[in-house]
Amino acid sequence: MDFTNLASQLNAGIILPEGIVVATLLVVLVGDLIAGRASTRWTPYATMAGLSLAIVALIYQWDTATPLSFLGSFMGDDLSIVFRGIIVLSAIATVPMSIRYIEQSGTSLAEFLVIMMTATLGGMFLSGANDLVTIFVALETLSISSYLLTGYMKRDPRSNEAALKYLLIGAASSAIFLYGMSLLYGLSGGKMKLLEISQSFVAADSDAPIGIIVALVFVIAGIAFKIAAVPFHQWTPDVYEGSPTPVVAFLSVGSKTAGFALAIRLLVAVFPVVSEQWHFVFTALAILSMVLGNVVALAQTSMKRLLAYSSIAQAGFLMIGLVVGTEAGYSSMIFYLLIYLFMNLGGFTCVILFSLRTGTDQISEYSGLYQKDPLLTLCLSICLLSLGGIPPLAGFFGKLYIFWAGWQAGAYGLVLVGLVTSVISIYYYIRVVKMMVVKEPQEMSDAISNYPEVRWDLPGLRPLQVSLILAVVATSLAGILSNPLFTLANNSVSHTPLLQAAIDQQQAPKAVVPPVATIAPAVTSVAQR
Amino acid sequence: MIPLEFYLLLAAALFCIGIYGLVTSRNVIRVLMSIELLLNAVNINLMAFSNYLDPATATGQVFTVFVISIAAAEAAVGLAIVLAIYRNRDTVDMEEFNLLKW
Amino acid sequence: MELAQFPWLTVTIFLPITAALFIPFIPDKDGKTLRWYALIVGLIDFVLLVAAFYLGYDFNDSGLQLVESYTWVPQLDLKWSVGADGLSMPLILLTGFISTLAILASWPVTLKPRLFYFLILAMYSGQLGVFAVQDMLLFFFMWELELIPVYLLLSIWGGKKRLYAATKFILYTAGGSLFILVAALAMAFYGDVVSFDMSTLAAKDYTVKFQLFMYAAFLVAYAVKLPIFPLHTWLPDAHGEATAPVHMLLAGILLKMGGYAIIRMNLGMLPDAHAVFAPILVIFGIINIIYAALTSFAQRNLKRKIAYSSISHMGFVIIGIASFTNLGLSGAVLQMVSHGLIGASLFFLVGATYDRTHTLVLNEMGGVGKKMPKIFAMFTTCSMASLALPGMSGFVAELMVFVGFATSDAYSFTFKLIAVMLMAVGVILTPIYLLTMLREIFYGPENQELIEHEALIDAEPREVFIIACLLIPIIGFGLYPKMLTQIYDTTTISLTDNLRSRAFASTEELQPLAFLPHLQAPELPITAD
């Protein structure tokens, strides 16, 4: 086998976006080594440029004819492109947030960017990973970099503690996940590729055997940890509170998106045999996440903890889309993730800006902000209200689509729980808005009465301002002008053979032929095209 | 020849010991060691499956190599974080880490 | 003809909110430019509404007119579809009229004027939207759009307990609106066609059981808004704390949203269920009238007194809706418009009195009539209108409901007799509390403390103008109700015909249905009393 033949078999062009990220990572790393401290002036922009280039590369790969690469280890279908795009976008948005934040803490910016890009890389590979080894390596790339990011403020004991907790729980959960994967490997008789595993399960033709269920339980524990679903959420509030805020922003969107990508691919591809069981488990996880996330958020006093619980609850809403498993269900989930990207990152940008100016994250310290900084108040209000699902902001349409899809698929209970808990969520989001807007001048908090003059010309604030305004504009308009996003989400589902097969199976669950037998060859035939 | 089940039982036992250590240890280093036990249980599983079910391609053994190397990376990061926290707090006792509400 | 094709409703809905977006950029030093800007926008919009009414609206057509429909989000089947029939047209005009007057009434507002006028204009759009849209999802969107402006208007510019009142308002309304979405989804996915279009939904053939569930869901949502006992408790708090212009909007328009929606959805789309629920509605209407009148009697706070009188008046709307006669339904619509005008004028006068006395507690007033004769005169006139003095619109409306209900053939004679007698008790109670209120404020010995401490200046021309504007239609409709009824008569007649044909026809042919005896000889708790 000569080299060109091998290269064409590998179809390495599919991971061009990842290649661009790696190249950027190296440029930033080496540039920082050579230029030293002076490099802070250009590294963030180089990072953003590189990541944007990766987005462009992703766009060019849309609907590619041969999505399968590396002999079936990596799948570049439209679904993975959307997820990779969301992860890269969240990384791009994190960069401007972190410039000023990292500078103020006196640590090195370039290293932060390098670790963050590594995490992005891990997330991207995870979105397209198509065999067990790739999944594991990508997952660990993402996780280990996340631990490092969490503990990046190494002189701050809170950051240390958050990192330690994250690491211990994360490592334990990925070990459990790995144990589940080793069982999958054994049960399938030594298969690594996801579709081969499911084919061998179908070939064995036993009705939901206990071994597969045990493997499923282990695997779900790993996934649920990554998407912070209740009851695997305990790390979330602590890590969110202790970590540097830009890292939290990235974790809450990028890392969570990667978790959902993993969930879709792994569950849909490997576990059609026990489809009823995992749907049941995820229904329970979704209900628990929505209820607990929203209810506990009511009692929070720290803004970052509030957002942590809110992100748990949002994951619950997202899981509705996963559970219903129809075309609209998957699309609504992707659509919500796209919107969640804007509104959550916008919200975090505001929180960072506030803590840069006042040095605190307590909700009570926000009282009276409207008097001193109307722009920040407006932006944070819009992002929070959008998270709460108030029209005409983007979050309303996101939730509407999820509930619409849920109802269409007959998941009435889930939709009702979602509706009730989203009414509860309005209460705590609006509590923050009330703090900022309603309080009279005499009720101002100490932080607000000593609020520094609003200046945007400090180093690093200009990009923050730009990204904040972009996020807020997107949050306000992405709902009203949501057609392109809807189309994108729908296309990514309808152009992905894996999901199409699963949807067909869903629609004809009582077929006489074991349904997977019809799916798997169909998928592989498309994949091998 | 030893049956496959024996290896699996060994792995399961090791996994349970690891979980037990994870839950009961107060010292962070011990917790990290327990996680290594979990990963080694996985390794035994993979090796056994690879040897008995998939001797031709031995992908399980390749997987094991990946697991070992990543476990090393994880341990390195973990110890680095432990070191940082030890410098700040002068302790590696889990119960002392209570700055963040658990 | 080009005028007919002009998108009247869309333009009028979007004009205020679009204009509101420019408010942050208007140079304004003393707060005067802003209020003129808002007033002019309000006026232009009202003029456009009137123009639309004259040029594009035909009294003799019972169907939708001024229809526009554009696809918005095809994936959700969400359409921007607006239109007006006899039911919505008077309320749309009322909204334009009251909102414009409310802007004029907010002249004294000096606190955060930018935010205030922004919210008022946003509300303007939202309220027009609620009455004009013809798509259930869009209706839900508009309904929810109202939440945040009203919340902020209550919580920033309200009285002492404003935060409590605002939170109560938002939780009640958000909780209620959840039922709208559930019912809308359920109805849209019923049968083969998935559609949210109101006329399509109305034409679907639902089973009676399904209708009952939907009816109950809608009723809960709209009972909060109207309000119907026992879901009314947010209203005295919200109305008791609101500032005068907000108050005018709340009483004048917001309450009518509930009545409008009950007629449009419960009565128009679910006629079979309406037949079952109608006796219950009558009972609730009577409870509303008597309970609220008695409670109003006991209130010492002026605003709460008037708030309860609003609840009492809404009871007539409910009974009119449940009367199964065109006269009753027509009376209900007339009562909504009439109460919109009277309620707004009374609340405005309460605000004007408060501006002078700085107290709302009746015990601290007394004998102010001498110092403020014009306000005294206006207050008396409006109270007379409220207690349904012949010659004013309230009298005609209540009389129509009375006669309509009394001549209804849907209820047994005993039921009608008792109901009418109880209603009459309510009608007697109203003058008692209103006249007592007048006596306590204006007559009697002057309250020395009040006279010494407050400057009791008489009404300024702006206030006289506002009241005059409101009184002209009140008296006009009172003397010549056909002016108003001709707008909507064709629509109410077709609604009643549809209702009667469906409700009575189905009771005859479907034997086992339990509600046949209910309609003819109700064995209801009220008869047992």
Side-chain angles (χ1 to χ4, degrees):
Chain A
M1 192 189 312
D2 62 320
F3 186 75
T4 45
N5 190 15
L6 183 71
S8 74
Q9 271 199 336
L10 284 182
N11 192 12
I14 292 295
I15 60 159
L16 179 65
E18 283 80 359
I20 295 173
V21 176
V22 172
T24 319
L25 191 156
L26 289 175
V27 167
V28 171
L29 188 66
V30 175
D32 182 55
L33 278 177
I34 296 169
R37 202 97 183 124
S39 68
T40 40
R41 267 182 291 122
W42 58 268
T43 40
Y45 304 103
T47 309
M48 284 194 272
L51 291 173
S52 313
L53 207 61
I55 294 268
V56 174
L58 281 173
I59 293 171
Y60 272 103
Q61 298 206 335
W62 185 258
D63 273 349
T64 177
T66 49
L68 210 59
S69 70
F70 289 96
L71 310 173
S73 291
F74 189 86
M75 184 66 146
D77 52 9
D78 288 356
L79 183 75
S80 86
I81 290 180
V82 167
F83 278 110
R84 283 143 87 197
I86 296 176
I87 294 167
V88 177
L89 275 176
S90 77
I92 295 179
T94 313
V95 176
M97 288 183 211
S98 49
I99 301 174
R100 179 88 189 145
Y101 194 93
I102 302 289
E103 299 261 295
Q104 232 175 29
S105 71
T107 37
S108 160
L109 181 60
E111 286 167 25
F112 179 85
L113 295 173
V114 168
I115 303 176
M116 198 191 71
M117 275 190 276
T118 316
T120 311
L121 204 60
M124 289 170 80
F125 273 119
L126 192 57
S127 310
N130 207 28
D131 73 12
L132 297 180
V133 180
T134 318
I135 287 180
F136 177 64
V137 174
L139 181 69
E140 287 299 303
T141 312
L142 172 63
S143 302
I144 295 180
S145 332
S146 306
Y147 310 146
L148 286 171
L149 287 174
T150 308
Y152 198 70
M153 304 285 136
K154 59 185 173 200
R155 287 190 189 78
D156 175 10
R158 298 164 72 82
S159 174
N160 293 157
E161 198 179 313
L164 187 66
K165 285 179 176 171
Y166 193 21
L167 174 107
L168 292 181
I169 303 181
S173 85
S174 61
I176 294 171
F177 180 63
L178 195 57
Y179 193 77
M181 289 212 289
S182 76
L183 290 181
L184 284 181
Y185 174 66
L187 289 166
S188 64
K191 296 284 190 296
M192 279 287 171
K193 308 258 178 330
L194 301 185
L195 289 171
E196 289 176 2
I197 295 176
S198 85
Q199 274 166 338
S200 75
F201 287 167
V202 173
D205 196 28
S206 59
D207 205 23
I210 189 74
I212 299 180
I213 295 201
V214 172
L216 174 71
V217 168
F218 283 117
V219 165
I220 284 183
I223 294 173
F225 165 79
K226 208 73 214 160
I227 58 179
V230 178
F232 301 91
H233 69 288
Q234 274 98 345
W235 58 276
T236 321
D238 291 344
V239 170
Y240 277 30
E241 194 186 353
S243 325
T245 319
V247 176
V248 184
F250 178 73
L251 287 184
S252 72
V253 180
S255 171
K256 194 163 279 202
T257 308
F260 272 103
L262 171 67
I264 291 194
R265 199 169 289 280
L266 198 54
L267 295 173
V268 171
V270 177
F271 292 108
V273 187
V274 286
S275 146
E276 245 171 64
Q277 282 83 350
W278 75 255
H279 278 107
F280 174 75
V281 174
F282 266 83
T283 310
L285 290 180
I287 291 178
L288 283 174
S289 300
M290 286 188 285
V291 171
L292 194 121
N294 280 318
V295 170
V296 180
L298 293 175
Q300 299 306 314
T301 54
S302 153
M303 193 67 193
K304 277 157 88 176
R305 281 186 93 87
L306 177 95
L307 287 173
Y309 280 105
S310 122
S311 85
I312 293 174
Q314 306 283 349
F317 293 129
L318 282 165
M319 273 184 268
I320 296 182
L322 179 62
V323 168
V324 298
T326 54
E327 181 146 3
Y330 292 124
S331 319
S332 72
M333 185 177 145
I334 291 166
F335 179 70
Y336 199 77
L337 270 173
L338 281 166
I339 277 174
Y340 181 68
L341 168 85
F342 297 122
M343 58 194 185
N344 214 35
L345 289 178
F348 272 110
T349 312
C350 295
V351 173
I352 289 174
L353 197 52
F354 184 77
S355 76
L356 283 177
R357 287 183 178 153
T358 61
T360 174
D361 288 321
Q362 290 302 306
I363 294 176
S364 56
E365 299 288 348
Y366 280 78
S367 62
L369 185 63
Y370 180 72
Q371 323 275 344
K372 292 287 176 80
D373 196 345
L375 178 69
L376 181 57
T377 310
L378 177 77
C379 294
L380 186 52
S381 305
I382 286 181
C383 291
L384 288 178
L385 293 177
S386 176
L387 282 169
I390 301 285
L393 304 170
F396 172 81
F397 289 86
K399 277 194 185 153
L400 193 62
Y401 195 16
I402 285 188
F403 295 148
W404 191 95
W407 198 275
Q408 187 200 33
Y412 307 123
L414 270 178
V415 173
L416 284 178
V417 173
L419 278 169
V420 171
T421 51
S422 65
V423 170
I424 298 175
S425 77
I426 293 178
Y427 181 78
Y428 60 80
Y429 290 121
I430 210 161
R431 195 162 62 102
V432 181
V433 177
K434 184 175 80 182
M435 279 283 174
M436 296 189 292
V437 181
V438 174
K439 296 284 178 180
E440 303 288 325
Q442 62 271 17
E443 293 171 303
M444 240 180 235
S445 67
D446 295 341
I448 298 293
S449 29
N450 302 324
Y451 201 73
E453 195 193 339
V454 177
R455 287 177 60 188
W456 293 104
D457 51 359
L458 295 168
L461 276 191
R462 202 50 83 175
L464 184 69
Q465 184 189 23
V466 172
S467 73
L468 173 61
I469 291 185
L470 282 180
V472 169
V473 168
T475 307
S476 338
L477 296 183
I480 299 167
L481 310 171
S482 51
N483 244 332
L485 287 184
F486 270 112
T487 317
L488 175 69
N490 275 13
N491 284 349
S492 70
V493 172
S494 60
H495 294 182
T496 302
L498 173 72
L499 292 182
Q500 285 307 309
I503 291 161
D504 293 342
Q505 183 208 359
Q506 183 99 359
Q507 276 159 1
K510 283 160 190 81
V512 188
V513 194
V516 190
T518 52
I519 308 171
V523 176
T524 34
S525 71
V526 177
Q528 283 159 358
R529 224 182 358 182
Chain B
M1 194 165 159
I2 309 167
L4 174 61
E5 284 76 17
F6 283 29
Y7 289 100
L8 298 187
L9 282 176
L10 173 66
L14 207 54
F15 192 80
C16 292
I17 296 171
I19 293 279
Y20 175 76
L22 198 68
V23 175
T24 53
S25 302
R26 287 179 57 184
N27 189 310
V28 177
I29 305 293
R30 284 174 64 137
V31 180
L32 283 175
M33 286 163 71
S34 309
I35 290 172
E36 293 300 315
L37 278 189
L38 295 182
L39 292 174
N40 284 336
V42 173
N43 286 341
I44 292 178
N45 249 359
L46 287 173
M47 296 291 279
F49 282 136
S50 169
N51 208 29
Y52 282 82
L53 304 173
D54 184 24
T57 50
T59 41
Q61 300 184 20
V62 177
F63 201 163
T64 309
V65 174
F66 274 103
V67 174
I68 291 173
S69 55
I70 282 175
E74 208 164 50
V77 170
L79 288 174
I81 291 171
V82 174
L83 209 59
I85 205 166
Y86 183 71
R87 284 206 185 114
N88 284 325
R89 303 285 305 276
D90 277 335
T91 175
V92 286
D93 188 344
M94 290 293 285
E95 315 263 312
E96 302 286 317
F97 302 146
N98 48 12
L99 286 178
L100 308 166
K101 283 185 286 176
W102 184 245
Chain C
M1 177 75 199
E2 267 198 20
L3 271 176
Q5 256 125 58
F6 186 73
W8 289 107
L9 288 173
T10 309
V11 168
T12 45
I13 291 171
F14 276 106
L15 178 70
I17 187 89
T18 317
L21 291 178
F22 291 104
I23 282 186
F25 308 108
I26 293 174
D28 176 55
K29 287 219 176 64
D30 46 2
K32 281 180 184 152
T33 332
L34 270 183
R35 60 195 194 192
W36 278 109
Y37 175 74
L39 182 65
I40 289 167
V41 171
L43 261 180
I44 293 176
D45 209 41
F46 182 56
V47 168
L48 279 178
L49 283 171
V50 173
F53 175 61
Y54 267 105
L55 298 172
Y57 190 81
D58 176 16
F59 292 169
N60 300 318
D61 185 351
S62 70
L64 283 176
Q65 305 176 41
L66 298 164
V67 179
E68 300 155 46
S69 182
Y70 315 101
T71 303
W72 187 356
V73 184
Q75 288 86 349
L76 288 179
D77 192 47
L78 176 60
K79 284 203 246 3
W80 174 264
S81 103
V82 289
D85 59 2
L87 197 55
S88 38
M89 202 63 218
L91 292 168
I92 291 174
L93 290 174
L94 179 77
T95 307
F97 187 58
I98 302 276
S99 296
T100 311
L101 284 179
I103 296 172
L104 188 60
S106 45
W107 239 232
V109 172
T110 49
L111 178 70
K112 297 178 192 167
R114 274 176 210 277
L115 192 56
F116 183 84
Y117 289 109
F118 177 86
L119 294 173
I120 289 268
L121 288 179
M123 244 177 109
Y124 199 152
S125 286
Q127 285 163 329
L128 284 179
V130 166
F131 294 126
V133 297
Q134 296 300 328
D135 183 280
M136 276 304 279
L137 270 191
L138 199 57
F139 178 83
F140 175 71
F141 176 88
M142 290 294 178
W143 187 273
E144 290 267 296
L145 198 61
E146 207 69 26
L147 282 181
I148 296 299
V150 178
Y151 175 81
L152 288 177
L153 283 170
L154 277 177
S155 59
I156 299 181
W157 290 274
K160 283 196 189 69
K161 275 167 62 191
R162 58 182 190 271
L163 284 182
Y164 169 74
T167 309
K168 204 167 172 182
F169 164 81
I170 202 162
L171 289 184
Y172 266 72
T173 319
S177 59
L178 179 158
F179 288 93
I180 304 180
L181 183 60
V182 170
L185 286 173
M187 285 170 70
F189 284 112
Y190 189 89
D192 305 327
V193 192
V194 178
S195 166
F196 287 93
D197 185 59
M198 285 193 190
S199 45
T200 318
L201 288 182
K204 277 192 186 178
D205 204 10
Y206 309 102
T207 62
V208 174
K209 198 174 164 196
F210 181 79
Q211 282 198 26
L212 289 177
F213 277 111
M214 294 304 107
Y215 196 97
F218 278 136
L219 192 62
V220 171
Y222 304 139
V224 169
K225 206 77 169 187
L226 191 61
I228 299 176
F229 175 89
L231 296 174
H232 67 285
T233 54
W234 63 272
L235 186 136
D237 286 313
H239 284 205
E241 302 303 322
T243 181
V246 181
H247 221 152
M248 289 170 71
L249 293 177
L250 281 181
I253 307 164
L254 230 65
L255 304 190
K256 278 73 213 170
M257 283 161 53
Y260 165 79
I262 288 188
I263 299 180
R264 167 80 71 210
M265 281 149 216
N266 290 21
L267 190 149
M269 294 181 190
L270 306 163
D272 299 326
H274 186 69
V276 180
F277 271 94
I280 303 171
L281 277 186
V282 173
I283 293 165
F284 275 121
I286 291 167
I287 295 177
N288 251 28
I289 295 173
I290 294 183
Y291 164 82
L294 287 173
T295 322
S296 172
F297 205 57
Q299 297 299 318
R300 302 310 298 161
N301 179 313
L302 195 52
K303 277 191 179 170
R304 291 180 76 91
K305 213 179 196 38
I306 313 268
Y308 273 107
S309 101
S310 288
I311 303 179
S312 178
H313 284 107
M314 284 300 120
F316 287 99
V317 177
I318 308 170
I319 293 177
I321 291 172
S323 74
F324 283 96
T325 56
N326 179 46
L327 195 60
L329 189 59
S330 167
V333 178
L334 185 57
Q335 172 77 339
M336 289 206 283
V337 176
S338 142
H339 179 267
L341 299 165
I342 297 170
S345 66
L346 267 180
F347 280 123
F348 173 69
L349 282 170
V350 171
T353 316
Y354 176 75
D355 286 343
R356 291 162 175 82
T357 60
H358 292 108
T359 177
L360 285 171
V361 185
L362 286 170
N363 297 358
E364 294 171 10
M365 297 191 205
V368 298
K370 247 180 226 166
K371 294 267 203 254
M372 312 189 290
K374 280 187 220 160
I375 288 197
F376 179 26
M378 294 189 295
F379 215 129
T380 315
T381 322
C382 295
S383 301
M384 294 301 159
S386 180
L387 59 81
L389 191 77
M392 309 268 205
S393 57
F395 172 76
V396 187
E398 287 178 21
L399 191 69
M400 279 163 79
V401 172
F402 257 104
V403 177
F405 180 71
T407 55
S408 167
D409 50 358
Y411 301 97
S412 69
F413 179 73
T414 342
F415 184 71
K416 280 194 291 193
L417 184 71
I418 293 170
V420 167
M421 275 167 61
L422 287 172
M423 278 156 74
V425 172
V427 174
I428 295 167
L429 285 173
T430 316
I432 300 180
Y433 67 78
L434 281 175
L435 292 176
T436 326
M437 177 188 82
L438 282 179
R439 177 178 57 76
E440 284 185 276
I441 306 174
F442 294 104
Y443 294 87
E446 292 183 338
N447 187 328
Q448 284 309 316
E449 214 168 311
L450 193 66
I451 306 269
E452 279 162 25
H453 287 96
E454 306 291 351
L456 302 176
I457 334 144
D458 205 0
E460 49 183 283
R462 179 182 61 89
E463 292 165 335
V464 178
F465 175 74
I466 291 174
I467 291 300
C469 284
L470 288 165
L471 275 177
I472 290 170
I474 292 176
I475 297 173
F477 295 148
L479 294 176
Y480 190 61
K482 191 159 184 290
M483 214 158 45
L484 185 62
T485 53
Q486 65 183 2
I487 302 177
Y488 60 77
D489 254 349
T490 47
T491 309
T492 48
I493 287 173
S494 78
L495 269 176
T496 324
D497 286 346
N498 175 40
L499 177 67
R500 291 175 68 91
S501 66
R502 290 282 293 276
F504 290 110
S506 64
T507 51
E508 277 159 16
E509 68 192 32
L510 298 172
Q511 279 305 322
L513 286 179
F515 52 82
L516 181 66
H518 276 270
L519 277 175
Q520 296 306 326
E523 304 167 39
L524 292 157
I526 198 84
T527 46
D529 282 350

